Amino acid sequence: MSITAINVRNQFRGTIKEIIEGPVVSEVDVQTPEGLLVTSVITTRSVKELGLVPGKAVVALVKSTEVSIATL
């Protein structure tokens, strides 16, 4: 299933690998079947309301107006 009712073109299906929960915001790591790791920083309240737990299948929706890259 892909989500088409919103304006987000980059969608990655995956499974929650880890959640690092903080008092206000949490990091949610989503691993795709190809092994790509996508990390989202969302409110801890949203983590709880969405029932996010490691092992749960999710879709990571990525919308960005800017991606910066620096050389080493």
Side-chain angles (χ1 to χ4, degrees):
M1 171 179 109
S2 97
I3 299 171
T4 58
I6 58 177
N7 185 21
V8 177
R9 300 280 185 247
N10 299 308
Q11 301 177 17
F12 301 94
R13 294 176 197 234
T15 304
I16 295 177
K17 181 176 180 181
E18 181 180 15
I19 298 173
I20 302 171
E21 199 170 294
V24 178
V25 295
S26 296
E27 293 180 37
V28 180
D29 291 337
V30 177
Q31 187 158 23
T32 69
E34 296 80 18
L36 176 70
L37 190 63
V38 179
T39 302
S40 176
V41 177
I42 64 174
T43 64
T44 300
R45 181 178 184 175
S46 292
V47 169
K48 294 177 189 308
E49 288 178 356
L50 291 168
L52 301 181
V53 293
K56 183 171 185 144
V58 294
V59 178
L61 305 167
V62 180
K63 182 172 184 175
S64 176
T65 57
E66 178 180 346
V67 176
S68 299
I69 299 176
T71 59
L72 299 175

